[in-house]
Each structure stands twice: as structure tokens, then as C-alpha cells.
Amino acid sequence: MNEYNILVADDDKEIRNALDIYLTNEGMNVFLAADGAEALEILEKTDVHLIIMDIMMPKMDGIQATLKIRQDKDIPIIILSAKSEDRDVILGLNIGADDYMTKPFNFLELIARVKSNLRRYTKYENYQKNKEDDGVLSIRGLVLNKKTNEVFVNGTQVHLTPIEFKILQLLMENKNITFSIEEIYEKVWKEPFYNSENTVAVHIRRIREKIEVNPKEPMYLKVVWGVGYKIEK
């Protein structure tokens, strides 16, 4: 297996040390953190390929750390949790974690999940590199290919209608710029806007349902109340 940098963030020293041994035996470089804040410091200095993140930690917990990481990084995150933290697991997955395991866990199963997530991530990264000069728009795991009319979310293809694709393309080509409903309609439908608020709103809702983990708390397609919609970078 190729050499990868793995970050383990857990306040339990025994778990950190055990994972250090298991991952090192798999030919991986391991970086250890006792809390979320320390994990973020390591990320600033090191090119990490995957993170194993405990939820309950001092200073900064795994949920807060995951939120900060997902602001600009797409690397895989596996959450570790106690059974009593099921709600936190769901929240973690909604904000961008890729997988989770419940404590106590089988170390060999966790290593297998690490390898599986690394394979998916490597495949996704290679796809991005091969397409980056070929009409591809990419924002934090959301990838739109203008030439093939394909859309991927974290490596998984989602299927949009032609109108949905055009709306998403417009917003991704103009990151952080808010478009009114009228502007979206006239740019996508290529005709004057006339009482078409519901038409645009329905398409926006469908796009969210397809690209967002939790459409009620979107990561990508945001509403600017009283103004319109935008894709956040």
C-alpha cells in the first residue's frame, strides 16, 4: 500500500498509541493529537490524507474540529464515538464526516475502513486531477463537469436534469455571488422573468436534495434571505 499520512485525534492515550502501532505496521505515517485544537495545528503543517476523529475531546471536540476542517479540506474523516453519542454521529456525518465507528471497536475493522476510505479518496483525487483542465468546476467535494454533464459529490455521481445542471453551473461559475430568482431564471431559461418564483424555487429545492447531505442545513447551495441564492466557496 502507498505511504499515507494519517492523523489520529483522541484524548484516550491508549487508543492513540494502539492506532499508532496498527497504522505504522501498515506502512502509514501517523500523527497524534489529544484534542481538536491540536489536530488543527497538525493539519496546518502537514499534508494529511485521512483523519480518525474522536467526538468527545477537551478544548475542541470532534464536531467543532470537523466543521473547521470542512471549510477548506476534502480529506476523509472517520468519527469515533461512544454508543451514547449517536446524535453526534449523525451530526458529524451531516457536516462532512465520511464514516464512523462506535467504541469499543475492533482495530482491524477500523484499519480496513481506513484503507477503504483512502482508496475512494485517491480515486476521487485522480479524477479531479485528470479533469481540472477539462471544463471541471470543483468546490469542497462538489464536482461539475461541463463537457460530460456529470456531477459528483465526494466521488459519488448524482443525476441532475438539464435545467438543474444549468442552475448549478451558473452558481458554481460565480462562487460567493448571490443571484436573485429573477437573474437565475433569465440566465438559465433565456427568457424574460414573469411570476416564475415558484419555478426557480422548486428547481433549487431539487438540487439541494441531490447534492446536500442534509438539505435543511446545506453545505453548498445557500439562501441569502430577501436576495437570492449562492454557492459558497
Side-chain angles (χ1 to χ4, degrees):
M1 188 169 186
N2 294 330
E3 191 173 88
Y4 292 103
N5 294 333
I6 310 298
L7 171 58
V8 176
D10 197 307
D11 62 339
D12 188 321
K13 187 176 181 180
E14 291 186 3
I15 290 179
R16 291 201 306 271
N17 291 340
L19 284 173
D20 188 8
I21 293 171
Y22 276 99
L23 293 166
T24 299
N25 286 340
E26 294 292 333
M28 303 178 194
N29 298 317
V30 184
F31 299 84
L32 304 176
D35 56 68
E38 190 175 342
L40 293 179
E41 291 176 3
I42 293 173
L43 278 173
E44 290 180 359
K45 305 172 184 177
T46 309
D47 184 18
V48 172
H49 301 104
L50 181 142
I51 303 170
I52 298 173
M53 180 80 71
D54 186 28
I55 287 182
M56 297 302 294
M57 294 185 291
K59 294 185 181 179
M60 179 184 291
D61 64 29
I63 298 298
Q64 292 175 301
T66 298
L67 271 171
K68 288 185 175 294
I69 292 167
R70 278 295 176 256
Q71 289 177 2
D72 58 6
K73 296 183 184 297
D74 296 323
I75 55 181
I77 298 176
I78 300 176
I79 282 182
L80 302 180
S81 75
K83 287 185 178 180
S84 61
E85 299 160 7
D86 285 348
R87 292 183 179 179
D88 289 329
V89 169
I90 294 171
L91 176 59
L93 293 173
N94 283 340
I95 64 175
D98 299 273
D99 201 354
Y100 77 94
M101 288 199 69
T102 301
K103 294 180 178 180
F105 54 83
N106 183 302
F107 282 96
L108 294 179
E109 181 183 350
L110 178 55
I111 298 304
R113 294 197 183 199
V114 167
K115 292 180 180 180
S116 175
N117 276 278
L118 284 171
R119 282 194 297 269
R120 286 198 295 268
Y121 179 64
T122 301
K123 182 179 180 181
Y124 167 66
E125 285 290 286
N126 288 338
Y127 172 84
Q128 281 194 301
K129 289 177 182 178
N130 291 336
K131 298 293 185 180
E132 60 185 4
D133 296 322
D134 195 24
V136 169
L137 305 172
S138 178
I139 300 174
R140 292 179 288 114
L142 175 62
V143 179
L144 181 148
N145 189 316
K146 293 187 287 186
K147 292 190 176 181
T148 64
N149 291 330
E150 293 175 317
V151 175
F152 293 84
V153 179
N154 294 324
T156 300
Q157 187 172 4
V158 296
H159 299 282
L160 304 184
T161 67
I163 290 293
E164 292 167 354
F165 187 91
K166 289 178 182 178
I167 292 174
L168 185 60
Q169 179 180 335
L170 170 68
L171 298 176
M172 290 184 69
E173 286 178 335
N174 298 276
K175 295 181 287 289
N176 292 327
I177 296 176
T178 302
F179 287 86
S180 68
I181 289 177
E182 180 177 349
E183 289 174 325
I184 292 174
Y185 187 87
E186 292 184 346
K187 289 179 180 295
V188 171
W189 275 265
K190 305 294 184 183
E191 61 186 40
F193 178 83
Y194 181 74
N195 292 334
S196 301
E197 291 90 348
N198 288 339
T199 300
V200 175
V202 167
H203 282 83
I204 291 291
R205 187 181 73 244
R206 288 176 179 169
I207 294 170
R208 274 182 169 167
E209 290 172 351
K210 294 178 181 180
I211 69 171
E212 304 284 359
V213 174
N214 182 0
K216 294 182 179 179
E217 298 180 9
M219 288 179 55
Y220 303 111
L221 212 170
K222 302 294 184 73
V223 61
V224 181
W225 295 107
V227 183
Y229 299 94
K230 67 177 180 178
I231 289 281
E232 285 194 350
K233 184 174 181 181

